[in-house]
Amino acid sequence: MSKFKQLYKPLLDDARWQSPQEIAIEGTAFGPWLLEPDSLSRRFQRYCEHFTVTLLEQRVIENQQLQPDERALLGEADCLLRKVVLKGDGVPWVFARTLIPQSTLTGQEQDLEQLGEMPLGFRVFTDRSARRDALVVANLRDDKHPLWARRSRLWVNDKPMLVAELFLEQAPIYAKETLRWN
Ligand SMILES: C=C(O[C@@H]1C=C(C(=O)O)C=C[C@H]1O)C(=O)O
């Protein structure tokens, strides 16, 4: 198992998701990252020369393997599970885990299965129908040394997928100078 999956998958699985209002992140340095409604990949591109995605794993999982809240957001279909690390200039910034129901992988969206190392956000957010909802956030550590994660549902052509993103220690979200750019 890769270092990322071993270290970060359990953290994401145990995340205690809360609404952004509950955590009151609006107006903080982290807010613009965690609340980004558009593509996170595009936002990251502004902070590096080379933005890349490393595919760690992709496989189909049965609907019974989903958590109850994931099933409530995605429905009863089996899902394609995609795990990646997003990197800026080779530095790991985000561990992301996406669930794409088989019922989403139909028609124009069949290509989502073949993304490989192309960022999901580049594909989804070029579609005019793309939107994001059900955004929740979690601090997986403490206030002094936060480790942020967020989970949201993306829709393309009214078909859902669920993306959980864990912002790793070296991500620009934690750099003081990001304040200048937001
Ligand atoms: C969903 C987006 O795509 C990013 C890319 C991902 C991938 O390629 O699997 C996963 C999560 C995202 O952070 C985005 O850019 O907002």
Side-chain angles (χ1 to χ4, degrees):
M1 205 194 264
S2 83
K3 182 185 108 193
F4 290 107
K5 280 197 297 188
Q6 224 167 346
L7 284 176
Y8 298 115
K9 186 188 166 289
L11 282 177
L12 268 187
D13 288 347
D14 293 344
R16 203 171 68 82
W17 300 113
Q18 291 179 280
S19 74
Q21 293 80 7
E22 262 177 285
I23 296 199
I25 47 169
E26 210 181 325
T28 67
F30 309 114
W33 292 94
L34 297 171
L35 301 174
E36 173 64 69
D38 201 82
S39 171
L40 190 68
S41 307
R42 284 197 205 138
R43 176 176 269 270
F44 275 136
Q45 268 191 316
R46 307 205 294 266
Y47 289 81
C48 62
E49 299 258 313
H50 298 289
F51 174 75
T52 52
V53 165
T54 302
L55 182 63
L56 300 178
E57 183 182 0
Q58 185 167 296
R59 65 188 161 94
V60 175
I61 62 166
E62 292 185 357
N63 194 270
Q64 294 101 289
Q65 290 177 260
L66 267 55
Q67 306 284 340
D69 60 332
E70 294 172 337
R71 199 170 303 127
L73 289 162
L74 292 176
E76 300 297 321
D78 292 345
C79 289
L80 186 73
L81 170 67
R82 171 178 162 90
K83 288 181 195 161
V84 301
V85 178
L86 313 183
K87 295 178 186 169
D89 297 329
V91 178
W93 281 353
V94 163
F95 171 74
R97 174 185 182 272
T98 303
L99 290 165
I100 312 177
Q102 297 280 27
S103 49
T104 292
L105 297 166
T106 53
Q108 282 178 41
E109 279 60 61
Q110 286 177 54
D111 65 327
L112 291 174
E113 224 167 330
Q114 264 107 46
L115 283 177
E117 304 212 320
M118 198 242 254
L120 177 72
F122 287 180
R123 161 63 178 83
V124 169
F125 287 97
T126 47
D127 198 295
R128 289 163 64 99
S129 71
R131 62 194 166 89
R132 195 189 290 277
D133 69 2
L135 179 79
V136 284
V137 296
N139 179 358
L140 307 176
R141 279 200 308 231
D142 51 61
D143 288 348
K144 205 165 172 210
H145 308 284
L147 190 68
W148 288 106
R150 72 173 193 168
R151 190 187 71 185
S152 58
R153 183 169 51 179
L154 296 181
W155 294 88
V156 64
N157 286 321
D158 294 322
K159 294 185 281 188
M161 65 195 89
L162 194 64
V163 184
E165 292 146 330
L166 196 166
F167 294 80
L168 306 171
E169 286 88 345
Q170 296 181 82
I173 179 173
Y174 305 110
K176 296 278 177 288
E177 59 269 29
T178 60
L179 282 170
R180 277 194 285 128
W181 299 89
N182 288 319

